[in-house]
Amino acid sequence: MSASTAATPIGIHDLELATSHHAVDLGDLAHSNGTDPAKYRQGLGQDEFSFPAPDEDIITMGAAAALPIIERHGFDGIRTLLFATESGVDQSKAAGVSVQRLLGLPNHVRVVEFKQACYGGTAALQAAVGIVSRSPGERVLVISSDVARYLLDSPGEPTQGAGAVAMLIAANPALVEIEAAAGLFTDDVDDFWRPNDSTTAVVDGKLSVSAYLDALEGSWNDLQAQGGPGIDEIDRILYHQPFTKMAKKAQGHLAAVTGAPLSLALPGDAVDETQRDTGLATGTLYNRRLGNSYTASVFAGLAALLHHDADLAGRRIGLFSYGSGSVSEFLTGIVQAGYFDATAAERVYAALDARAPLAVEAYRELHSANLPSSEDYETPRVTAGPFRFAGVKGQARQYERTRD
Ligand code: COA
């Protein structure tokens, strides 16, 4: 790599979030199954979760997240589309290939799917940074999109969710420059996985929480070994959020590992003025209402931080990504001048508010429907989003744009 290429900042140039048509209120779920609602709202830090309509999936949400980015920037320089997901809809074809057609991207793009539970989006981001380092004139569209599904009446049920975040990775980015040093940690552990014949994840919840914290410590120690910034040089810290209380547990663990007095307050918690505010509460604002969006979760946290905190220019953000199984990464980035868009949060809240509430009985029916993936059928028209999954024809999934 030439010295001039190495000096070019590369990172997140634009970012958009999309979610599903429906939402389930966790107060309703608690009422129906006899749980104290405080367990969900304070114990897990979740208020609602998004749930897809029958004509929605990772592809319709991913394309919906990417559409405004394409409308703002066009196709210029985009020669790669990386689609990260845990909830893939085909064993062979990359979900991004359908997105290429739905968005009208040129044929001259490479498209591939990334999988490693909730970590895949971060792997795709780093691969995109690598591609742009090699060819700074290129831009890479990275889409993280997931539907988090656990068994009905299981401990994981209130931590379901659905959402997608699309990012445009480019040289001289408008939002966040990704720094070179990153902390990595891989450990073969059976905390969460999804067998090929199962539509819901198999999870050992307690093990996944401790594996997450071990991975955080391992990634952090590797970041330090790689010459990355110390805790006092990082202004804001974001975490993967399977449920937002997990970010608080992670922050507590990092505070213990580093000895730094990091604030542990989530929204509604008492604030200890002697502790340093690193944006923990701000980073949870969207995830409390989206639920778990697996690969998109940490980037939904990033969106919330960039949309609500107007004082970040020149500041360093740390971002911890964890994918059960497990692979994790602690990376850092520098927020760029002019990043703040005062209307961005309004757009996300409008999308969250626009979700159609789903009563518990209707949600349980949809959850149990388990539509076949290799028999032909048509889906009902439900989604109000720009793309829909029309059904299966000749054993192939069919997608269409709902409006021009
Ligand atoms: N009011 C307030 N808080 C309450 C409460 C109440 N009435 N009842 C329970 N709580 C708290 C508990 O004290 C606990 O808090 P803590 O974790 O700070 O100790 C929290 O609510 C959860 O309660 P717990 O009994 O541990 O929940 P659970 O056994 O139902 O399962 C998970 C929690 C996270 C293990 C489960 O939701 C799960 O498996 N999720 C999917 C996997 C996952 O997200 N893993 C994360 C890492 S990837």
Side-chain angles (χ1 to χ4, degrees), residues 119-254:
Y119 168 72
T122 305
L125 166 64
Q126 290 289 27
V129 169
I131 289 169
V132 179
S133 301
R134 174 77 181 255
S135 307
E138 288 192 28
R139 294 170 166 206
V140 179
L141 187 57
V142 172
I143 298 174
S144 301
S145 182
D146 266 304
V147 177
R149 279 168 62 94
Y150 295 99
L151 284 173
L152 291 174
D153 305 315
S154 70
E157 184 182 23
T159 70
Q160 296 178 115
V165 172
M167 299 186 286
L168 190 62
I169 309 307
N172 302 308
L175 300 183
V176 182
E177 174 191 354
I178 302 298
E179 295 186 285
L184 305 172
F185 190 79
T186 287
D187 188 24
D188 189 358
V189 50
D190 291 334
D191 61 333
F192 166 112
W193 65 101
R194 187 161 65 80
N196 280 345
D197 58 354
S198 177
T199 59
T200 51
V202 182
V203 61
D204 179 339
K206 303 289 181 204
L207 177 61
S208 74
V209 170
S210 65
Y212 177 122
L213 297 177
D214 291 346
L216 170 62
E217 189 169 340
S219 297
W220 174 259
N221 289 339
D222 189 48
L223 180 70
Q224 299 310 296
Q226 297 298 314
I231 194 72
D232 295 337
E233 299 167 293
I234 304 179
D235 301 292
R236 303 285 186 272
I237 309 171
L238 298 164
Y239 303 91
H240 168 55
Q241 297 169 46
F243 50 97
T244 69
K245 178 80 165 290
M246 190 66 227
K248 178 175 180 160
K249 289 178 190 287
Q251 178 96 325
H253 194 68
L254 192 60

Side-chain angles (χ1 to χ4, degrees), residues 36-396:
D36 179 355
K39 173 173 177 179
Y40 296 161
R41 297 201 195 283
Q42 280 94 51
L44 296 176
Q46 293 301 129
D47 292 328
E48 302 166 345
F49 61 78
S50 289
F51 198 83
D55 57 348
E56 293 179 318
D57 65 8
I58 55 160
I59 291 177
T60 62
M61 289 192 302
L67 183 61
I69 292 180
I70 298 299
E71 287 171 346
R72 284 197 283 272
H73 304 278
F75 302 136
D76 256 13
I78 300 180
R79 290 178 56 77
T80 304
L81 191 174
L82 306 178
F83 195 111
T85 189
E86 184 275 350
S87 37
V89 293
D90 192 275
Q91 291 282 23
S92 172
K93 182 174 177 175
V97 175
S98 305
V99 175
Q100 179 266 342
R101 181 181 62 77
L102 289 171
L103 295 177
L105 279 169
N107 294 109
H108 300 290
V109 285
R110 65 170 73 82
V111 181
V112 73
E113 192 163 306
F114 277 58
K115 176 175 69 179
Q116 176 32 52
C118 305
Y119 168 72
T122 305
L125 166 64
Q126 290 289 27
V129 169
I131 289 169
V132 179
S133 301
R134 174 77 181 255
S135 307
E138 288 192 28
R139 294 170 166 206
V140 179
L141 187 57
V142 172
I143 298 174
S144 301
S145 182
D146 266 304
V147 177
R149 279 168 62 94
Y150 295 99
L151 284 173
L152 291 174
D153 305 315
S154 70
E157 184 182 23
T159 70
Q160 296 178 115
V165 172
M167 299 186 286
L168 190 62
I169 309 307
N172 302 308
L175 300 183
V176 182
E177 174 191 354
I178 302 298
E179 295 186 285
L184 305 172
F185 190 79
T186 287
D187 188 24
D188 189 358
V189 50
D190 291 334
D191 61 333
F192 166 112
W193 65 101
R194 187 161 65 80
N196 280 345
D197 58 354
S198 177
T199 59
T200 51
V202 182
V203 61
D204 179 339
K206 303 289 181 204
L207 177 61
S208 74
V209 170
S210 65
Y212 177 122
L213 297 177
D214 291 346
L216 170 62
E217 189 169 340
S219 297
W220 174 259
N221 289 339
D222 189 48
L223 180 70
Q224 299 310 296
Q226 297 298 314
I231 194 72
D232 295 337
E233 299 167 293
I234 304 179
D235 301 292
R236 303 285 186 272
I237 309 171
L238 298 164
Y239 303 91
H240 168 55
Q241 297 169 46
F243 50 97
T244 69
K245 178 80 165 290
M246 190 66 227
K248 178 175 180 160
K249 289 178 190 287
Q251 178 96 325
H253 194 68
L254 192 60
V257 166
T258 60
L262 309 176
S263 170
L264 304 183
L266 286 178
D269 289 352
V271 173
D272 179 344
E273 297 293 347
T274 65
Q275 295 180 331
R276 181 156 70 92
D277 178 10
T278 59
L280 176 73
T282 311
T284 64
L285 292 172
Y286 296 157
N287 286 289
R288 281 191 82 82
R289 299 187 59 190
L290 280 175
N292 195 355
S293 54
Y294 290 160
T295 53
S297 161
V298 72
F299 301 111
L302 177 61
L305 184 71
L306 296 177
H307 294 174
H308 290 83
D309 191 338
D311 185 30
L312 290 177
R315 293 185 189 266
R316 179 178 280 120
I317 296 179
L319 187 146
F320 175 66
S321 176
Y322 175 76
S324 288
S326 72
V327 180
S328 64
E329 179 161 350
F330 201 118
L331 59 83
T332 62
I334 305 293
V335 181
Q336 304 296 290
Y339 75 94
F340 189 68
D341 172 359
T343 64
E346 284 167 35
R347 288 200 304 274
V348 175
Y349 287 122
L352 291 169
D353 293 344
R355 290 171 302 171
L358 202 52
V360 171
E361 204 172 312
Y363 143 70
R364 288 179 68 94
E365 246 175 65
L366 269 185
H367 190 289
S368 306
N370 281 343
L371 292 169
S373 52
S374 55
E375 284 169 30
D376 289 5
Y377 63 92
E378 285 181 15
T379 55
R381 283 185 179 275
V382 181
T383 183
F387 305 102
R388 65 183 295 273
F389 164 54
V392 176
K393 197 171 166 189
Q395 293 191 303

